[in-house]
Amino acid sequence: MDRRESLKLIGSAAFAAAGGFLAPTLAQAQAPAADGPFKLPPLGYPFEALEPHIDAQTMMIHHDRHHAAYVNACNQIAKDVPALGTTPIEQTLTDAAYIPVQLQQQVKNNLGGHWNHSFFWELMKPGGAKEPSSELKSAIGGSWKDVDEFKERLNAAGVGRFGSGWAWLVVNKDKKLELISTANQDTPIPLGAKPVIGVDVWEHAYYLKYQNRRPDYLKAWWNTVNWDKASENFKKAMA
Ligand code: MN3
């Protein structure tokens, strides 16, 4: 074996050890069930369903590994703090005073991650409604020129989020639509805001397909949005 061949072999062994590029296959990719009060919600559609806008491998890693890790961490903390598992998630996100102070940041990160991603998967759907309800459309029209301008503003909020976080359309405490962005896995919940639309701008949400091009990801992402769900979120938030 010459040097080049042995390097090739080492390279492919390392590649295989790292899971290869498409291994494990999508069918084998189910994360082990988390043990505890928190459950990873099913995606609700196949990993490849949002292609070509979001690729299957990104969806698999994002749901089965990133979201699963937040769920597992919550279950781990709940072993020491059982009240975490029995308190409504939104209540803990609003007031985590009952959590020991040294665990509060971990709870904020992981419970926030669990809440944010659970919201995000439901907002996307292959073949979902392409237009907001007339109520949501007219509310958007009251704050922006039209839906297209609103999308550009939300994308700008996502591009403007330095590092990792989320961009949101929320109904604020005054029952008005507002664009905000949150850092890390912070949610809009402690602000008293009710999310209508939220988009993950962590690199793990887009890097495999879009690398550093967050604006291209955000533009493409709108093709996956299920406006029925956004409209339902808006209706509930205004009720
Ligand atoms: Mn994410």
Side-chain angles (χ1 to χ4, degrees):
M1 186 186 296
D2 69 16
R3 186 165 175 275
R4 184 187 290 172
E5 267 174 343
S6 76
L7 278 178
K8 225 159 74 183
L9 197 68
I10 291 164
S12 68
F15 187 67
F21 215 22
L22 278 169
T25 67
L26 297 181
Q28 296 166 331
Q30 285 308 311
D35 182 22
F38 298 96
K39 305 286 175 210
L40 179 65
L43 191 56
Y45 40 83
F47 296 120
E48 67 274 19
L50 305 177
E51 296 256 14
H53 312 296
I54 303 181
D55 62 285
Q57 197 190 11
T58 294
M59 290 301 291
M60 184 271 280
I61 295 170
H62 200 174
H63 179 271
D64 281 14
R65 299 192 192 161
H66 289 277
H67 189 171
Y70 299 126
V71 170
N72 289 335
C74 289
N75 283 327
Q76 199 59 42
I77 298 167
K79 284 183 186 167
D80 296 326
V81 189
L84 177 64
T86 55
T87 305
I89 293 176
E90 278 142 16
Q91 195 176 312
T92 302
L93 291 173
T94 305
D95 182 4
Y98 74 91
I99 304 281
V101 69
Q102 71 276 14
L103 293 174
Q104 285 178 7
Q105 188 62 46
Q106 280 184 54
V107 167
K108 188 182 184 187
N109 294 344
N110 291 291
L111 195 63
H114 178 38
W115 194 95
N116 285 337
H117 288 86
S118 301
F119 178 91
F120 189 54
W121 309 133
E122 289 195 349
L123 187 63
M124 300 184 287
K125 190 180 178 179
K130 294 292 169 213
E131 290 284 327
S133 64
S134 55
E135 292 82 5
L136 178 53
K137 194 173 181 177
S138 111
I140 288 172
S143 297
W144 297 277
K145 191 170 76 136
D146 52 25
V147 173
D148 284 342
E149 197 212 21
F150 151 71
K151 289 180 181 174
E152 282 170 26
R153 301 311 307 161
L154 190 129
N155 287 6
V159 170
R161 165 50 55 192
F162 184 77
S164 298
W166 293 72
W168 305 93
L169 174 69
V170 300
V171 172
N172 68 19
K173 281 184 189 164
D174 302 324
K175 298 273 183 194
K176 301 282 184 211
L177 286 181
E178 188 182 341
L179 287 175
I180 63 169
S181 87
T182 56
N184 306 313
Q185 294 299 353
D186 293 0
T187 72
I189 306 299
L191 306 172
K194 297 191 169 145
V196 176
I197 290 173
V199 60
D200 190 341
V201 298
W202 283 59
E203 283 185 345
H204 68 223
Y206 62 86
Y207 205 85
L208 292 179
K209 183 176 169 79
Y210 296 96
Q211 295 84 48
N212 59 320
R213 291 173 284 116
R214 189 186 288 182
D216 291 354
Y217 154 68
L218 284 166
K219 259 183 227 157
W221 177 75
W222 285 105
N223 293 299
T224 72
V225 170
N226 175 20
W227 280 97
D228 278 339
K229 186 66 190 175
S231 301
E232 183 192 316
N233 292 340
F234 176 68
K235 196 175 175 183
K236 271 193 210 155
M238 295 301 283

